[in-house]
Amino acid sequence: MSLQDIQNKISKAEKEAGRDAGSVELIAVSKVQPDARVQAVLQDGHRVFGENRVQEAAGKWPAFKDAFSGVSVHLIGPLQSNKARQAMELFDAIHTLDRLKLANTIARLAQELGACPDLFVQVNTGAEDQKAGVLPQETDGFIAECRALDLPVKGLMCIPPVDEEASLHFALLAKIAARNDLGGLSMGMSGDFERAVALGATHVRVGSAIFGDRAYEL
């Protein structure tokens, strides 16, 4: 599916949901993709990308940012506290804030650096043991703690369980965001982004539908 096909589907979903055109940002998930594929999407004019690992992003994006103007790179994978400084210098947004230790580290570094990426709290909507994220019932308190640290929390992020209806999780995330006065909803991937748009997503994370199968041999 071409980049334009994805953008057209997002536009259609926005219209069907009665939302303003352009209210959903497409994050092209470029993790584990060859540079040639990423460069092709950049040459098509897309400028917002998602990466899972700090190290991989550090080896890829400084050069691309030099070559293409207006690039925004979002961290959508787990972040270790000892890599927080590098992440804050690399990324324009971090979608995986999920524990107080990391929040404290980011807050301290934000003071040192004089800047902080936009932050999304990752919510483990399915309460899955193997998955990162704040449990739904603990999210309100965690958001309050982050705000007390003056962190720029812009929204919430979730990855629904693969064996459950994603829309239920998107609706839960939207409900938590609304009661905490958060406008950002990072939800929806290649297989369900249209449902996410219908339920209020502001950022959808689409990888394989744009780039094809991931090149794990890299």
Side-chain angles (χ1 to χ4, degrees):
M1 196 178 299
S2 72
L3 176 65
Q4 188 61 55
D5 289 337
I6 299 292
Q7 291 170 329
N8 289 343
K9 284 180 176 290
I10 291 173
S11 295
K12 182 181 178 184
E14 286 173 338
K15 184 175 181 180
E16 290 177 349
R19 300 181 59 186
D20 291 340
S23 58
V24 180
E25 187 160 70
L26 170 60
I27 300 173
V29 180
S30 49
K31 63 179 183 180
V32 204
Q33 292 292 349
D35 284 359
R37 289 185 185 177
V38 179
Q39 183 168 330
V41 175
L42 282 160
Q43 288 171 336
D44 279 344
H46 196 69
R47 290 293 182 269
V48 185
F49 293 83
E51 291 285 341
N52 258 42
R53 296 172 62 243
V54 175
Q55 185 175 353
E56 181 184 349
K60 178 188 300 180
W61 285 104
F64 278 141
K65 283 190 169 186
D66 285 342
F68 296 90
S69 63
V71 171
S72 177
V73 185
H74 297 224
L75 179 64
I76 59 172
L79 176 59
Q80 298 173 358
S81 295
N82 63 359
K83 292 187 177 179
R85 178 184 294 273
Q86 188 179 16
M88 291 175 69
E89 293 172 342
L90 273 171
F91 295 102
D92 300 280
I94 294 171
H95 291 235
T96 50
L97 178 57
D98 63 352
R99 60 198 186 279
L100 189 56
K101 179 184 177 182
L102 179 59
N104 281 316
T105 300
I106 291 175
R108 174 177 54 81
L109 291 169
Q111 290 294 319
E112 289 182 22
L113 298 169
C116 186
D118 289 343
L119 300 173
F120 289 73
V121 172
Q122 182 173 354
V123 183
N124 185 353
T125 55
E128 296 174 276
D129 291 339
Q130 78 281 10
K131 195 171 286 182
V134 183
L135 292 173
Q137 65 270 26
E138 298 173 359
T139 302
D140 293 355
F142 183 68
I143 293 168
E145 290 175 317
C146 291
R147 285 173 165 162
L149 294 169
D150 290 327
L151 291 175
V153 178
K154 303 298 184 181
L156 307 178
M157 184 272 260
C158 76
I159 305 170
V162 295
D163 57 349
E164 295 184 18
E165 172 51 53
S167 295
L168 299 175
H169 295 268
F170 298 155
L172 173 60
L173 198 72
K175 183 178 180 180
I176 297 171
R179 70 172 179 246
N180 285 282
D181 196 27
L182 289 171
L185 286 170
S186 174
M187 59 190 196
M189 297 185 287
S190 290
D192 54 26
F193 66 86
E194 290 158 300
R195 282 175 281 167
V197 172
L199 289 164
T202 58
H203 298 71
V204 295
R205 311 179 303 271
V206 179
S208 57
I210 295 173
F211 293 101
D213 292 336
R214 293 177 187 135
Y216 284 105
E217 67 271 17
L218 295 180

